[in-house]
Structures are given as structure tokens and as C-alpha cells.
Amino acid sequence: MPVIGAVLTALALKVLGLSGESEPSPASTGTGASSGSPSAAPFAVTARQENEEGCTALPRELTSPNDRAELVAGGDAEAVVQRNHGARVGELHVGLTLEGGASSLTVTSIDIEPTSPRAAAPLAGTLLCEPSGGGESKIQLYADMDSPEPVFRTGKHSTQRYFRDKVITLAPGEQVNLSATFLAERGSREFGLLIRYVRDGKEGTVRVPAPRGGRYAVTGFAPRYGAVYSGSSGGVYRRLEDPRPCPWLPAAQAC
């Protein structure tokens, strides 16, 4: 049985004193090797953004007529977000699935690799907020992306690192599901994910591709935006007159 129960909160998780050689980076398919036969892949990893009620912020106000038409006509809002480098606001929920390969291995850590040493100011161009539904995952992970060096913790408000004393074992063909929540309140952050593992006494790494060709990014709420859109479950958005995010702010940040 895999050992589970994690929480993210600081930059890169240290390897537990194990030495050896790294395996190739994963391909865009999410497998644990970039080339060679399928049997060469130590394990497969896929990521998906878990749809939940919430908001997405864009760095600039939308000026493209095509982008605005996509929103108000119920088009592909996700494509608009990707084209304009949007980030989930407050919490980014990512589901990770690990599937064992030909032999057993041990995942020693999952590293968070921010692209900048400190969080930048919250994205304040356009705010898109919508209701939707999401499922529950077995393993919950949390990370405070406002922290200079986010790492996995044992609880949302815990100070104890998960991978300091624990690992995840992955048997051949075994599937392990995790749900990672990346938190941001004061700033915005883009990052990558890197899984470290040991197989047959050798250390390797597997990079986790972002869901649907997008990116890993999360931002806190800005006090006001260039434009605010409210969406429905049908995917149609309407622009609001108030440029503040009041209806969606947590209680501690209420207008």
C-alpha cells in the first residue's frame, strides 16, 4: 500500500541522501521517459486540472474581439485563458495519477520548482469567475506558493514536511491518485513539478507535464481589475460593472 497524506508549502523537496543517475525527462505524453521503447519508462504520470467553483485571472485586460466573443457567446473559455496566460486565483487544484511500470520503485519526493525566487504581484488584468463541479481525490496535497521555497507538508496549516519521513511506493501496474492544492493569497507564481524516485538503488527524475498543454500558475486576488466577468455553468460570461472581486473574496479579504 502506498504511504500517503501530503501538503505542499515551499520550493524543492530535497532528495533523501540517495545517489545515482537520473533517467530521461518525460515526453509530452506524461510517461517517465522521453525516448526508447515503452518498457524503458519507469512509470507514467498524468496531470489534470480539477474543475471547481472559482476564478481565473489574466495579466492584461482582454482587448481581442475574438477573445471577448468567445466568453459572451459560450465559446472555448479555456482556450482564451491559455492564450492570455491566465492563472487560477486563490487555489489551483491539480490531480496527479502515477501508474507503475515494469518494476517497483519508490517516490522519494515531488518537487515544486517556481520560475522566480519570489512571488510577483497578483494578476490584475481580467478576472473570470464561474461555478462548476469537481470530484474528490484520495490523497490531498497542499502548497503555500507565497512562500519563497514551497514544499509538501502533512497538512494545510502544518509545518511538518511530508517527505522528510515518508515515501510513496509504486508497484508494477499500481495506480496512485493524488490531489494537489497550490495556495496563493498575496502574489502570483508560475512553477513546474518534478518527481524524484529510486528504482533498483538508482535515483531518477520525471517531470510532470501541465494539464492540456497549459502551465502551472496560481495568483492571489488583486484589489480591482481592468475587467471582471461572471460566468454560468453553461460557459457564458457577462461583464460586470464593478471592477472589484467582492463576490468571490474569502471572508478575511472581504470588500
Side-chain angles (χ1 to χ4, degrees):
M1 292 290 292
V3 184
I4 312 164
V7 177
L8 318 179
T9 320
L11 185 141
L13 301 174
K14 295 181 179 177
V15 187
L16 307 179
L18 298 166
S19 59
E21 51 201 57
S22 291
E23 305 237 349
S25 299
S28 59
T29 57
T31 57
S34 58
S35 61
S37 64
S39 61
F43 64 96
V45 54
T46 56
R48 63 198 175 278
Q49 183 168 327
E50 297 178 337
N51 296 321
E52 297 183 6
E53 180 177 350
C55 301
T56 299
L58 311 180
R60 292 171 294 279
E61 184 175 349
L62 288 178
T63 57
S64 163
N66 290 337
D67 284 343
R68 293 200 297 264
E70 287 266 31
L71 295 179
V72 300
D76 191 350
E78 183 180 330
V80 174
V81 169
Q82 288 193 8
R83 284 196 298 269
N84 292 275
H85 308 291
R88 203 65 177 168
V89 182
E91 297 185 1
L92 167 67
H93 300 273
V94 176
L96 300 174
T97 298
L98 311 181
E99 186 170 348
S103 59
S104 297
L105 56 85
T106 299
V107 173
T108 57
S109 73
I110 303 176
D111 293 7
I112 307 165
E113 299 183 326
T115 58
S116 60
R118 294 288 186 277
L123 304 185
T126 301
L127 185 68
L128 308 175
C129 296
E130 85 291 330
S132 57
E136 243 181 69
S137 295
K138 294 179 181 178
I139 307 168
Q140 298 293 325
L141 310 173
Y142 297 88
D144 176 10
M145 300 307 295
D146 287 324
S147 170
E149 297 184 349
V151 295
F152 289 93
R153 305 282 177 173
T154 57
K156 192 169 185 178
H157 303 291
S158 173
T159 59
Q160 183 179 350
R161 291 189 180 193
Y162 176 74
F163 285 104
R164 176 175 294 169
D165 303 311
K166 301 178 182 179
V167 295
I168 297 173
T169 57
L170 193 61
E174 182 180 11
Q175 193 171 87
V176 175
N177 295 308
L178 307 93
S179 180
T181 299
F182 301 88
L183 310 169
E185 182 177 324
R186 300 185 301 275
S188 62
R189 210 80 175 275
E190 183 177 356
F191 58 95
L193 291 177
L194 183 72
I195 296 177
R196 297 186 184 276
Y197 69 92
V198 172
R199 182 180 65 169
D200 297 330
K202 294 183 178 180
E203 181 186 80
T205 61
V206 167
R207 195 161 294 279
V208 185
R212 303 190 193 100
R215 64 177 189 150
Y216 294 111
V218 63
T219 179
F221 279 102
R224 59 183 58 239
Y225 293 84
V228 175
Y229 290 81
S230 177
S232 68
S233 56
V236 177
Y237 288 80
R238 62 185 180 88
R239 183 166 179 171
L240 305 182
E241 293 184 6
D242 192 344
R244 299 174 300 167
C246 301
W248 301 281
L249 288 175
Q253 298 176 260
C255 291

